[in-house]
Amino acid sequence: MDRALNYLALARKGSLAELGEEPVGAVARTGKAYLIMVASDASDHTWRRAKSFAAGTEQQCIRVKFTKEEMGFVVGRTSLAIAAITDCHMALALVNALGEPEKYSSAIEVLSAKSEKLKKRQAEAKAHKRNVRMGKKK
């Protein structure tokens, strides 16, 4: 099985993925989806809806090489045409695992920048917590 599909299964198990058109639309409208992925054999209507969910935001929308049946199998469904990843690091790992960096270069670029920004914020929050607890060193 492909590593990217393993990341999708892991995201579902960790509650970091929304599956299906309505849940993906809801999470995209709130701005919490980092990556919206559409199956290769999904209808053009589904692809247009996914692009409209991501329009005007920095949410990335990609069409992956997997069929609806392959995507559905790893998440425990009969088929899955559209999914959204709600964790930045997981989304970046999944896109990198697809193995086509030239095809997904813009998505990789945006997700890498967001990932670095998130890591910086987490380090600052950790330092702040330590400073509050122990006092700032001079």
Side-chain angles (χ1 to χ4, degrees):
M1 191 180 319
D2 197 277
R3 272 187 28 211
L5 287 175
N6 287 338
Y7 280 122
L8 178 61
L10 189 62
R12 185 200 59 82
K13 289 176 184 173
S15 300
L16 302 174
E18 293 294 331
L19 311 173
E21 196 167 324
E22 291 304 317
V24 168
V27 77
R29 281 189 292 277
T30 62
K32 294 182 181 175
Y34 287 95
L35 177 68
I36 299 172
M37 47 193 290
V38 180
S40 62
D41 60 344
S43 70
D44 289 335
H45 174 69
T46 304
W47 176 240
R48 284 192 307 271
R49 287 271 311 221
K51 287 195 302 188
S52 72
F53 292 152
T57 66
E58 288 194 352
Q59 301 174 69
Q60 300 302 302
C61 184
I62 61 172
R63 197 179 266 261
V64 293
K65 60 185 175 184
F66 309 112
T67 64
K68 293 187 288 190
E69 287 73 28
E70 290 171 332
M71 287 177 58
F73 178 75
V74 298
V75 296
R77 292 182 171 193
T78 55
S79 70
L80 176 66
I82 184 171
I85 306 297
T86 58
D87 180 73
C88 185
H89 303 297
M90 182 67 72
L92 180 60
L94 194 148
V95 173
N96 283 329
L98 288 171
E100 298 178 39
E102 62 282 343
K103 185 177 179 183
Y104 304 116
S105 62
S106 63
I108 290 172
E109 199 174 297
V110 170
L111 290 172
S112 295
K114 285 187 175 207
S115 179
E116 290 301 317
K117 191 174 181 180
L118 188 60
K119 283 180 188 177
K120 184 178 176 186
R121 269 198 223 135
Q122 288 171 342
E124 289 171 353
K126 185 178 177 182
H128 176 72
K129 196 174 191 181
R130 186 182 64 243
N131 289 342
V132 168
R133 188 176 61 241
M134 302 185 74
K136 188 172 182 180
K137 294 181 182 178
K138 296 182 179 181

mmCIF file with all atom_site columns, all heavy atoms in Angstrom, residues 90-115:
data_model
loop_
_atom_site.group_PDB
_atom_site.id
_atom_site.type_symbol
_atom_site.label_atom_id
_atom_site.label_alt_id
_atom_site.label_comp_id
_atom_site.label_asym_id
_atom_site.label_entity_id
_atom_site.label_seq_id
_atom_site.pdbx_PDB_ins_code
_atom_site.Cartn_x
_atom_site.Cartn_y
_atom_site.Cartn_z
_atom_site.occupancy
_atom_site.B_iso_or_equiv
_atom_site.pdbx_formal_charge
_atom_site.auth_seq_id
_atom_site.auth_comp_id
_atom_site.auth_asym_id
_atom_site.auth_atom_id
_atom_site.pdbx_PDB_model_num
ATOM 1   N N   . MET A 1 90  ? 0.653  16.802 9.155   1.00 0.00 ? 90  MET A N   1
ATOM 2   C CA  . MET A 1 90  ? 0.150  15.594 8.497   1.00 0.00 ? 90  MET A CA  1
ATOM 3   C C   . MET A 1 90  ? -0.115 15.865 7.014   1.00 0.00 ? 90  MET A C   1
ATOM 4   O O   . MET A 1 90  ? 0.195  15.032 6.159   1.00 0.00 ? 90  MET A O   1
ATOM 5   C CB  . MET A 1 90  ? -1.130 15.109 9.184   1.00 0.00 ? 90  MET A CB  1
ATOM 6   C CG  . MET A 1 90  ? -1.694 13.837 8.607   1.00 0.00 ? 90  MET A CG  1
ATOM 7   S SD  . MET A 1 90  ? -0.668 12.381 8.884   1.00 0.00 ? 90  MET A SD  1
ATOM 8   C CE  . MET A 1 90  ? -0.916 12.112 10.612  1.00 0.00 ? 90  MET A CE  1
ATOM 9   N N   . ALA A 1 91  ? -0.665 17.029 6.704   1.00 0.00 ? 91  ALA A N   1
ATOM 10  C CA  . ALA A 1 91  ? -0.933 17.389 5.310   1.00 0.00 ? 91  ALA A CA  1
ATOM 11  C C   . ALA A 1 91  ? 0.372  17.475 4.521   1.00 0.00 ? 91  ALA A C   1
ATOM 12  O O   . ALA A 1 91  ? 0.455  16.980 3.396   1.00 0.00 ? 91  ALA A O   1
ATOM 13  C CB  . ALA A 1 91  ? -1.687 18.717 5.243   1.00 0.00 ? 91  ALA A CB  1
ATOM 14  N N   . LEU A 1 92  ? 1.397  18.083 5.108   1.00 0.00 ? 92  LEU A N   1
ATOM 15  C CA  . LEU A 1 92  ? 2.686  18.195 4.436   1.00 0.00 ? 92  LEU A CA  1
ATOM 16  C C   . LEU A 1 92  ? 3.306  16.816 4.212   1.00 0.00 ? 92  LEU A C   1
ATOM 17  O O   . LEU A 1 92  ? 3.812  16.518 3.124   1.00 0.00 ? 92  LEU A O   1
ATOM 18  C CB  . LEU A 1 92  ? 3.633  19.082 5.246   1.00 0.00 ? 92  LEU A CB  1
ATOM 19  C CG  . LEU A 1 92  ? 5.021  19.294 4.665   1.00 0.00 ? 92  LEU A CG  1
ATOM 20  C CD1 . LEU A 1 92  ? 4.944  19.957 3.296   1.00 0.00 ? 92  LEU A CD1 1
ATOM 21  C CD2 . LEU A 1 92  ? 5.861  20.132 5.608   1.00 0.00 ? 92  LEU A CD2 1
ATOM 22  N N   . ALA A 1 93  ? 3.248  15.955 5.201   1.00 0.00 ? 93  ALA A N   1
ATOM 23  C CA  . ALA A 1 93  ? 3.795  14.607 5.072   1.00 0.00 ? 93  ALA A CA  1
ATOM 24  C C   . ALA A 1 93  ? 3.053  13.822 3.983   1.00 0.00 ? 93  ALA A C   1
ATOM 25  O O   . ALA A 1 93  ? 3.672  13.101 3.192   1.00 0.00 ? 93  ALA A O   1
ATOM 26  C CB  . ALA A 1 93  ? 3.706  13.874 6.401   1.00 0.00 ? 93  ALA A CB  1
ATOM 27  N N   . LEU A 1 94  ? 1.740  13.986 3.930   1.00 0.00 ? 94  LEU A N   1
ATOM 28  C CA  . LEU A 1 94  ? 0.949  13.271 2.932   1.00 0.00 ? 94  LEU A CA  1
ATOM 29  C C   . LEU A 1 94  ? 1.303  13.743 1.520   1.00 0.00 ? 94  LEU A C   1
ATOM 30  O O   . LEU A 1 94  ? 1.507  12.923 0.633   1.00 0.00 ? 94  LEU A O   1
ATOM 31  C CB  . LEU A 1 94  ? -0.539 13.490 3.207   1.00 0.00 ? 94  LEU A CB  1
ATOM 32  C CG  . LEU A 1 94  ? -1.497 12.566 2.475   1.00 0.00 ? 94  LEU A CG  1
ATOM 33  C CD1 . LEU A 1 94  ? -2.724 12.331 3.332   1.00 0.00 ? 94  LEU A CD1 1
ATOM 34  C CD2 . LEU A 1 94  ? -1.924 13.099 1.142   1.00 0.00 ? 94  LEU A CD2 1
ATOM 35  N N   . VAL A 1 95  ? 1.414  15.042 1.306   1.00 0.00 ? 95  VAL A N   1
ATOM 36  C CA  . VAL A 1 95  ? 1.746  15.556 -0.025  1.00 0.00 ? 95  VAL A CA  1
ATOM 37  C C   . VAL A 1 95  ? 3.156  15.126 -0.422  1.00 0.00 ? 95  VAL A C   1
ATOM 38  O O   . VAL A 1 95  ? 3.397  14.754 -1.571  1.00 0.00 ? 95  VAL A O   1
ATOM 39  C CB  . VAL A 1 95  ? 1.591  17.094 -0.082  1.00 0.00 ? 95  VAL A CB  1
ATOM 40  C CG1 . VAL A 1 95  ? 2.089  17.636 -1.402  1.00 0.00 ? 95  VAL A CG1 1
ATOM 41  C CG2 . VAL A 1 95  ? 0.142  17.477 0.118   1.00 0.00 ? 95  VAL A CG2 1
ATOM 42  N N   . ASN A 1 96  ? 4.103  15.157 0.522   1.00 0.00 ? 96  ASN A N   1
ATOM 43  C CA  . ASN A 1 96  ? 5.464  14.699 0.223   1.00 0.00 ? 96  ASN A CA  1
ATOM 44  C C   . ASN A 1 96  ? 5.493  13.212 -0.118  1.00 0.00 ? 96  ASN A C   1
ATOM 45  O O   . ASN A 1 96  ? 6.281  12.775 -0.956  1.00 0.00 ? 96  ASN A O   1
ATOM 46  C CB  . ASN A 1 96  ? 6.402  14.993 1.389   1.00 0.00 ? 96  ASN A CB  1
ATOM 47  C CG  . ASN A 1 96  ? 6.798  16.444 1.446   1.00 0.00 ? 96  ASN A CG  1
ATOM 48  O OD1 . ASN A 1 96  ? 6.884  17.121 0.429   1.00 0.00 ? 96  ASN A OD1 1
ATOM 49  N ND2 . ASN A 1 96  ? 7.046  16.938 2.645   1.00 0.00 ? 96  ASN A ND2 1
ATOM 50  N N   . ALA A 1 97  ? 4.618  12.431 0.519   1.00 0.00 ? 97  ALA A N   1
ATOM 51  C CA  . ALA A 1 97  ? 4.580  10.985 0.277   1.00 0.00 ? 97  ALA A CA  1
ATOM 52  C C   . ALA A 1 97  ? 3.967  10.643 -1.086  1.00 0.00 ? 97  ALA A C   1
ATOM 53  O O   . ALA A 1 97  ? 4.141  9.524  -1.561  1.00 0.00 ? 97  ALA A O   1
ATOM 54  C CB  . ALA A 1 97  ? 3.790  10.291 1.386   1.00 0.00 ? 97  ALA A CB  1
ATOM 55  N N   . LEU A 1 98  ? 3.280  11.581 -1.709  1.00 0.00 ? 98  LEU A N   1
ATOM 56  C CA  . LEU A 1 98  ? 2.701  11.312 -3.022  1.00 0.00 ? 98  LEU A CA  1
ATOM 57  C C   . LEU A 1 98  ? 3.775  11.096 -4.078  1.00 0.00 ? 98  LEU A C   1
ATOM 58  O O   . LEU A 1 98  ? 3.538  10.446 -5.084  1.00 0.00 ? 98  LEU A O   1
ATOM 59  C CB  . LEU A 1 98  ? 1.767  12.450 -3.445  1.00 0.00 ? 98  LEU A CB  1
ATOM 60  C CG  . LEU A 1 98  ? 0.454  12.512 -2.688  1.00 0.00 ? 98  LEU A CG  1
ATOM 61  C CD1 . LEU A 1 98  ? -0.300 13.784 -3.028  1.00 0.00 ? 98  LEU A CD1 1
ATOM 62  C CD2 . LEU A 1 98  ? -0.402 11.297 -2.978  1.00 0.00 ? 98  LEU A CD2 1
ATOM 63  N N   . GLY A 1 99  ? 4.972  11.657 -3.855  1.00 0.00 ? 99  GLY A N   1
ATOM 64  C CA  . GLY A 1 99  ? 6.108  11.370 -4.718  1.00 0.00 ? 99  GLY A CA  1
ATOM 65  C C   . GLY A 1 99  ? 6.165  12.111 -6.033  1.00 0.00 ? 99  GLY A C   1
ATOM 66  O O   . GLY A 1 99  ? 6.914  11.733 -6.914  1.00 0.00 ? 99  GLY A O   1
ATOM 67  N N   . GLU A 1 100 ? 5.390  13.147 -6.209  1.00 0.00 ? 100 GLU A N   1
ATOM 68  C CA  . GLU A 1 100 ? 5.445  13.939 -7.438  1.00 0.00 ? 100 GLU A CA  1
ATOM 69  C C   . GLU A 1 100 ? 5.654  15.407 -7.057  1.00 0.00 ? 100 GLU A C   1
ATOM 70  O O   . GLU A 1 100 ? 4.728  16.213 -7.151  1.00 0.00 ? 100 GLU A O   1
ATOM 71  C CB  . GLU A 1 100 ? 4.162  13.772 -8.245  1.00 0.00 ? 100 GLU A CB  1
ATOM 72  C CG  . GLU A 1 100 ? 3.916  12.345 -8.697  1.00 0.00 ? 100 GLU A CG  1
ATOM 73  C CD  . GLU A 1 100 ? 2.598  12.206 -9.452  1.00 0.00 ? 100 GLU A CD  1
ATOM 74  O OE1 . GLU A 1 100 ? 2.265  13.118 -10.226 1.00 0.00 ? 100 GLU A OE1 1
ATOM 75  O OE2 . GLU A 1 100 ? 1.938  11.189 -9.254  1.00 0.00 ? 100 GLU A OE2 1
ATOM 76  N N   . PRO A 1 101 ? 6.877  15.774 -6.645  1.00 0.00 ? 101 PRO A N   1
ATOM 77  C CA  . PRO A 1 101 ? 7.096  17.141 -6.144  1.00 0.00 ? 101 PRO A CA  1
ATOM 78  C C   . PRO A 1 101 ? 6.849  18.231 -7.177  1.00 0.00 ? 101 PRO A C   1
ATOM 79  O O   . PRO A 1 101 ? 6.426  19.329 -6.819  1.00 0.00 ? 101 PRO A O   1
ATOM 80  C CB  . PRO A 1 101 ? 8.559  17.133 -5.689  1.00 0.00 ? 101 PRO A CB  1
ATOM 81  C CG  . PRO A 1 101 ? 9.167  15.932 -6.293  1.00 0.00 ? 101 PRO A CG  1
ATOM 82  C CD  . PRO A 1 101 ? 8.078  14.959 -6.582  1.00 0.00 ? 101 PRO A CD  1
ATOM 83  N N   . GLU A 1 102 ? 7.083  17.933 -8.467  1.00 0.00 ? 102 GLU A N   1
ATOM 84  C CA  . GLU A 1 102 ? 6.856  18.972 -9.482  1.00 0.00 ? 102 GLU A CA  1
ATOM 85  C C   . GLU A 1 102 ? 5.363  19.225 -9.695  1.00 0.00 ? 102 GLU A C   1
ATOM 86  O O   . GLU A 1 102 ? 4.954  20.346 -9.965  1.00 0.00 ? 102 GLU A O   1
ATOM 87  C CB  . GLU A 1 102 ? 7.530  18.607 -10.810 1.00 0.00 ? 102 GLU A CB  1
ATOM 88  C CG  . GLU A 1 102 ? 7.036  17.343 -11.482 1.00 0.00 ? 102 GLU A CG  1
ATOM 89  C CD  . GLU A 1 102 ? 7.563  16.042 -10.871 1.00 0.00 ? 102 GLU A CD  1
ATOM 90  O OE1 . GLU A 1 102 ? 8.562  16.071 -10.135 1.00 0.00 ? 102 GLU A OE1 1
ATOM 91  O OE2 . GLU A 1 102 ? 6.957  14.995 -11.131 1.00 0.00 ? 102 GLU A OE2 1
ATOM 92  N N   . LYS A 1 103 ? 4.547  18.203 -9.523  1.00 0.00 ? 103 LYS A N   1
ATOM 93  C CA  . LYS A 1 103 ? 3.103  18.349 -9.711  1.00 0.00 ? 103 LYS A CA  1
ATOM 94  C C   . LYS A 1 103 ? 2.457  19.100 -8.549  1.00 0.00 ? 103 LYS A C   1
ATOM 95  O O   . LYS A 1 103 ? 1.542  19.893 -8.751  1.00 0.00 ? 103 LYS A O   1
ATOM 96  C CB  . LYS A 1 103 ? 2.464  16.963 -9.863  1.00 0.00 ? 103 LYS A CB  1
ATOM 97  C CG  . LYS A 1 103 ? 0.996  16.986 -10.169 1.00 0.00 ? 103 LYS A CG  1
ATOM 98  C CD  . LYS A 1 103 ? 0.463  15.585 -10.378 1.00 0.00 ? 103 LYS A CD  1
ATOM 99  C CE  . LYS A 1 103 ? -1.015 15.590 -10.654 1.00 0.00 ? 103 LYS A CE  1
ATOM 100 N NZ  . LYS A 1 103 ? -1.556 14.240 -10.798 1.00 0.00 ? 103 LYS A NZ  1
ATOM 101 N N   . TYR A 1 104 ? 2.955  18.840 -7.345  1.00 0.00 ? 104 TYR A N   1
ATOM 102 C CA  . TYR A 1 104 ? 2.364  19.430 -6.144  1.00 0.00 ? 104 TYR A CA  1
ATOM 103 C C   . TYR A 1 104 ? 3.266  20.494 -5.522  1.00 0.00 ? 104 TYR A C   1
ATOM 104 O O   . TYR A 1 104 ? 3.200  20.747 -4.321  1.00 0.00 ? 104 TYR A O   1
ATOM 105 C CB  . TYR A 1 104 ? 2.081  18.336 -5.115  1.00 0.00 ? 104 TYR A CB  1
ATOM 106 C CG  . TYR A 1 104 ? 1.204  17.221 -5.640  1.00 0.00 ? 104 TYR A CG  1
ATOM 107 C CD1 . TYR A 1 104 ? 1.685  15.920 -5.744  1.00 0.00 ? 104 TYR A CD1 1
ATOM 108 C CD2 . TYR A 1 104 ? -0.106 17.465 -6.051  1.00 0.00 ? 104 TYR A CD2 1
ATOM 109 C CE1 . TYR A 1 104 ? 0.877  14.892 -6.230  1.00 0.00 ? 104 TYR A CE1 1
ATOM 110 C CE2 . TYR A 1 104 ? -0.903 16.452 -6.537  1.00 0.00 ? 104 TYR A CE2 1
ATOM 111 C CZ  . TYR A 1 104 ? -0.410 15.173 -6.621  1.00 0.00 ? 104 TYR A CZ  1
ATOM 112 O OH  . TYR A 1 104 ? -1.204 14.165 -7.100  1.00 0.00 ? 104 TYR A OH  1
ATOM 113 N N   . SER A 1 105 ? 4.107  21.138 -6.319  1.00 0.00 ? 105 SER A N   1
ATOM 114 C CA  . SER A 1 105 ? 5.098  22.081 -5.784  1.00 0.00 ? 105 SER A CA  1
ATOM 115 C C   . SER A 1 105 ? 4.461  23.255 -5.050  1.00 0.00 ? 105 SER A C   1
ATOM 116 O O   . SER A 1 105 ? 4.944  23.659 -3.982  1.00 0.00 ? 105 SER A O   1
ATOM 117 C CB  . SER A 1 105 ? 6.009  22.592 -6.888  1.00 0.00 ? 105 SER A CB  1
ATOM 118 O OG  . SER A 1 105 ? 5.256  23.286 -7.852  1.00 0.00 ? 105 SER A OG  1
ATOM 119 N N   . SER A 1 106 ? 3.367  23.795 -5.573  1.00 0.00 ? 106 SER A N   1
ATOM 120 C CA  . SER A 1 106 ? 2.749  24.944 -4.901  1.00 0.00 ? 106 SER A CA  1
ATOM 121 C C   . SER A 1 106 ? 2.160  24.529 -3.555  1.00 0.00 ? 106 SER A C   1
ATOM 122 O O   . SER A 1 106 ? 2.268  25.258 -2.570  1.00 0.00 ? 106 SER A O   1
ATOM 123 C CB  . SER A 1 106 ? 1.678  25.577 -5.784  1.00 0.00 ? 106 SER A CB  1
ATOM 124 O OG  . SER A 1 106 ? 0.632  24.665 -6.022  1.00 0.00 ? 106 SER A OG  1
ATOM 125 N N   . ALA A 1 107 ? 1.546  23.349 -3.494  1.00 0.00 ? 107 ALA A N   1
ATOM 126 C CA  . ALA A 1 107 ? 0.986  22.864 -2.236  1.00 0.00 ? 107 ALA A CA  1
ATOM 127 C C   . ALA A 1 107 ? 2.095  22.606 -1.226  1.00 0.00 ? 107 ALA A C   1
ATOM 128 O O   . ALA A 1 107 ? 1.971  22.958 -0.046  1.00 0.00 ? 107 ALA A O   1
ATOM 129 C CB  . ALA A 1 107 ? 0.175  21.592 -2.471  1.00 0.00 ? 107 ALA A CB  1
ATOM 130 N N   . ILE A 1 108 ? 3.200  22.016 -1.673  1.00 0.00 ? 108 ILE A N   1
ATOM 131 C CA  . ILE A 1 108 ? 4.323  21.737 -0.779  1.00 0.00 ? 108 ILE A CA  1
ATOM 132 C C   . ILE A 1 108 ? 4.900  23.040 -0.250  1.00 0.00 ? 108 ILE A C   1
ATOM 133 O O   . ILE A 1 108 ? 5.216  23.156 0.944   1.00 0.00 ? 108 ILE A O   1
ATOM 134 C CB  . ILE A 1 108 ? 5.402  20.902 -1.500  1.00 0.00 ? 108 ILE A CB  1
ATOM 135 C CG1 . ILE A 1 108 ? 4.884  19.481 -1.755  1.00 0.00 ? 108 ILE A CG1 1
ATOM 136 C CG2 . ILE A 1 108 ? 6.693  20.861 -0.700  1.00 0.00 ? 108 ILE A CG2 1
ATOM 137 C CD1 . ILE A 1 108 ? 5.779  18.631 -2.630  1.00 0.00 ? 108 ILE A CD1 1
ATOM 138 N N   . GLU A 1 109 ? 5.018  24.041 -1.114  1.00 0.00 ? 109 GLU A N   1
ATOM 139 C CA  . GLU A 1 109 ? 5.571  25.331 -0.721  1.00 0.00 ? 109 GLU A CA  1
ATOM 140 C C   . GLU A 1 109 ? 4.719  25.998 0.366   1.00 0.00 ? 109 GLU A C   1
ATOM 141 O O   . GLU A 1 109 ? 5.234  26.440 1.400   1.00 0.00 ? 109 GLU A O   1
ATOM 142 C CB  . GLU A 1 109 ? 5.637  26.226 -1.960  1.00 0.00 ? 109 GLU A CB  1
ATOM 143 C CG  . GLU A 1 109 ? 6.555  27.394 -1.855  1.00 0.00 ? 109 GLU A CG  1
ATOM 144 C CD  . GLU A 1 109 ? 6.647  28.118 -3.190  1.00 0.00 ? 109 GLU A CD  1
ATOM 145 O OE1 . GLU A 1 109 ? 7.112  27.519 -4.177  1.00 0.00 ? 109 GLU A OE1 1
ATOM 146 O OE2 . GLU A 1 109 ? 6.222  29.291 -3.209  1.00 0.00 ? 109 GLU A OE2 1
ATOM 147 N N   . VAL A 1 110 ? 3.413  26.062 0.150   1.00 0.00 ? 110 VAL A N   1
ATOM 148 C CA  . VAL A 1 110 ? 2.515  26.708 1.102   1.00 0.00 ? 110 VAL A CA  1
ATOM 149 C C   . VAL A 1 110 ? 2.476  25.939 2.420   1.00 0.00 ? 110 VAL A C   1
ATOM 150 O O   . VAL A 1 110 ? 2.558  26.531 3.505   1.00 0.00 ? 110 VAL A O   1
ATOM 151 C CB  . VAL A 1 110 ? 1.092  26.838 0.502   1.00 0.00 ? 110 VAL A CB  1
ATOM 152 C CG1 . VAL A 1 110 ? 0.093  27.282 1.551   1.00 0.00 ? 110 VAL A CG1 1
ATOM 153 C CG2 . VAL A 1 110 ? 1.098  27.803 -0.663  1.00 0.00 ? 110 VAL A CG2 1
ATOM 154 N N   . LEU A 1 111 ? 2.368  24.614 2.345   1.00 0.00 ? 111 LEU A N   1
ATOM 155 C CA  . LEU A 1 111 ? 2.300  23.805 3.565   1.00 0.00 ? 111 LEU A CA  1
ATOM 156 C C   . LEU A 1 111 ? 3.610  23.838 4.342   1.00 0.00 ? 111 LEU A C   1
ATOM 157 O O   . LEU A 1 111 ? 3.594  23.826 5.573   1.00 0.00 ? 111 LEU A O   1
ATOM 158 C CB  . LEU A 1 111 ? 1.902  22.367 3.224   1.00 0.00 ? 111 LEU A CB  1
ATOM 159 C CG  . LEU A 1 111 ? 0.462  22.184 2.748   1.00 0.00 ? 111 LEU A CG  1
ATOM 160 C CD1 . LEU A 1 111 ? 0.241  20.770 2.244   1.00 0.00 ? 111 LEU A CD1 1
ATOM 161 C CD2 . LEU A 1 111 ? -0.516 22.516 3.859   1.00 0.00 ? 111 LEU A CD2 1
ATOM 162 N N   . SER A 1 112 ? 4.753  23.906 3.650   1.00 0.00 ? 112 SER A N   1
ATOM 163 C CA  . SER A 1 112 ? 6.049  24.013 4.337   1.00 0.00 ? 112 SER A CA  1
ATOM 164 C C   . SER A 1 112 ? 6.141  25.325 5.103   1.00 0.00 ? 112 SER A C   1
ATOM 165 O O   . SER A 1 112 ? 6.603  25.349 6.246   1.00 0.00 ? 112 SER A O   1
ATOM 166 C CB  . SER A 1 112 ? 7.198  23.920 3.338   1.00 0.00 ? 112 SER A CB  1
ATOM 167 O OG  . SER A 1 112 ? 7.229  22.658 2.739   1.00 0.00 ? 112 SER A OG  1
ATOM 168 N N   . ALA A 1 113 ? 5.707  26.416 4.474   1.00 0.00 ? 113 ALA A N   1
ATOM 169 C CA  . ALA A 1 113 ? 5.740  27.716 5.145   1.00 0.00 ? 113 ALA A CA  1
ATOM 170 C C   . ALA A 1 113 ? 4.829  27.717 6.368   1.00 0.00 ? 113 ALA A C   1
ATOM 171 O O   . ALA A 1 113 ? 5.216  28.218 7.438   1.00 0.00 ? 113 ALA A O   1
ATOM 172 C CB  . ALA A 1 113 ? 5.321  28.810 4.176   1.00 0.00 ? 113 ALA A CB  1
ATOM 173 N N   . LYS A 1 114 ? 3.644  27.152 6.226   1.00 0.00 ? 114 LYS A N   1
ATOM 174 C CA  . LYS A 1 114 ? 2.718  27.083 7.358   1.00 0.00 ? 114 LYS A CA  1
ATOM 175 C C   . LYS A 1 114 ? 3.275  26.203 8.466   1.00 0.00 ? 114 LYS A C   1
ATOM 176 O O   . LYS A 1 114 ? 3.118  26.508 9.653   1.00 0.00 ? 114 LYS A O   1
ATOM 177 C CB  . LYS A 1 114 ? 1.363  26.553 6.904   1.00 0.00 ? 114 LYS A CB  1
ATOM 178 C CG  . LYS A 1 114 ? 0.552  27.558 6.153   1.00 0.00 ? 114 LYS A CG  1
ATOM 179 C CD  . LYS A 1 114 ? -0.833 27.018 5.897   1.00 0.00 ? 114 LYS A CD  1
ATOM 180 C CE  . LYS A 1 114 ? -1.668 28.085 5.244   1.00 0.00 ? 114 LYS A CE  1
ATOM 181 N NZ  . LYS A 1 114 ? -3.074 27.942 5.515   1.00 0.00 ? 114 LYS A NZ  1
ATOM 182 N N   . SER A 1 115 ? 3.920  25.116 8.100   1.00 0.00 ? 115 SER A N   1
ATOM 183 C CA  . SER A 1 115 ? 4.500  24.199 9.080   1.00 0.00 ? 115 SER A CA  1
ATOM 184 C C   . SER A 1 115 ? 5.614  24.884 9.875   1.00 0.00 ? 115 SER A C   1
ATOM 185 O O   . SER A 1 115 ? 5.675  24.752 11.101  1.00 0.00 ? 115 SER A O   1
ATOM 186 C CB  . SER A 1 115 ? 5.036  22.958 8.374   1.00 0.00 ? 115 SER A CB  1
ATOM 187 O OG  . SER A 1 115 ? 5.608  22.081 9.286   1.00 0.00 ? 115 SER A OG  1
#
